[in-house]
Amino acid sequence: MPQRHLLYLSAHQLSAHAWKGGRLDAQASFPHSEEGLVAFRQYLEKRRHDLFYLLINVADEGFQLDTIPFLQGKDREAVIQRKLGQYFYSTNLNMAQRLGFEKNRRKDERLLLAGFTNPAQIMPWTALIQSLGVPLVGIYSLPLLGPQLLKKLQPGPAPCLMLTVQDHSLRQSFFDKGELHFSRLVPLHDSSIHGIGHAMAAEAAKMHQYLTSQRLLAR
């Protein structure tokens, strides 16, 4: 049976973890450099028949809320692909997530459109995986996994701002009725307890102003 591995890509490096029995065990890390890619190739060559999952946490990811008419089948897919092309024309690393329907006669469908806006940061790693024929099960976005964490925290259906710290960065993710609507990653210059607390307070206030200006929150 093939071994599963989680690859975690941040702005600083790619790290590899063995995934077994619900646990992750760190195996190696590779910097964003030619040397890092060479070392990653050597790592993959020893595991050509294993399964890999790529989880990405970078600042260059965009989120857009939009609506489309009530459609089904190929017509719906065509409209969604056109919307994704308008917002994320420079990459095919994008997706659409259904957020329900508008409460009016037309029943327009609400969508969250998300995509990585700087594919050059990701493609060297995925191209290497593809060139070696290593099975890549999927590519996943860290903020889009937020709803799963929110279910465990159980804050209720009210609008919620979740702040998390990882990779010397602060991520702010806004949820409404348990669904992600927007996420933003900013650098964390001071990783002390005081620095993290100050950054959370300051950035949360800025995010509140932004969400209000976008009418995602009532004034």
Side-chain angles (χ1 to χ4, degrees), residues 32-208:
H32 284 283
S33 64
E34 287 298 324
E35 293 78 8
L37 287 170
V38 170
F40 184 51
R41 171 183 285 275
Q42 295 171 349
Y43 168 85
L44 289 176
E45 286 175 341
K46 299 176 182 178
R47 300 166 177 83
R48 285 179 178 268
H49 303 293
D50 287 350
L51 302 177
F52 288 84
Y53 301 73
L54 177 59
L55 177 62
I56 301 176
N57 181 38
V58 295
D60 297 313
E61 185 173 7
F63 300 88
Q64 295 287 339
L65 294 174
D66 209 331
T67 59
I68 62 172
F70 177 74
L71 298 168
Q72 292 180 319
K74 293 183 179 180
D75 291 337
R76 176 179 179 273
E77 184 63 24
V79 171
I80 289 176
Q81 290 302 317
R82 186 163 65 248
K83 291 280 187 181
L84 289 171
Q86 291 171 353
Y87 288 118
F88 307 109
Y89 57 86
S90 62
T91 176
N92 60 358
L93 294 175
N94 53 49
M95 57 85 68
Q97 183 171 301
R98 176 179 289 175
L99 297 179
F101 295 91
E102 297 284 1
K103 295 181 179 180
N104 53 40
R105 290 184 179 181
R106 294 181 57 186
K107 290 187 177 180
D108 287 351
E109 183 178 358
R110 298 166 55 243
L111 296 173
L112 172 66
L113 306 174
F116 296 109
T117 56
N118 182 16
Q121 194 174 15
I122 302 168
M123 296 309 294
W125 306 101
T126 56
L128 183 53
I129 293 172
Q130 185 177 20
S131 68
L132 294 175
V134 174
L136 181 61
V137 178
I139 300 175
Y140 305 90
S141 159
L142 183 65
L144 288 172
L145 298 181
Q148 301 301 318
L149 176 58
L150 210 62
K151 288 179 181 178
K152 295 182 179 295
L153 299 175
Q154 298 182 341
C160 170
L161 180 63
M162 182 167 67
L163 294 93
T164 58
V165 176
Q166 61 275 315
D167 308 321
H168 306 290
S169 300
L170 175 66
R171 179 170 286 283
Q172 304 168 81
S173 299
F174 174 68
F175 301 86
D176 193 6
K177 297 178 181 178
E179 297 288 354
L180 178 69
H181 282 209
F182 181 77
S183 188
R184 177 171 177 259
L185 189 69
V186 296
L188 191 60
H189 300 294
D190 183 355
S191 296
S192 68
I193 295 298
H194 173 77
I196 292 173
H198 178 77
M200 283 187 167
E203 291 298 332
K206 294 178 185 177
M207 178 62 78
H208 184 269

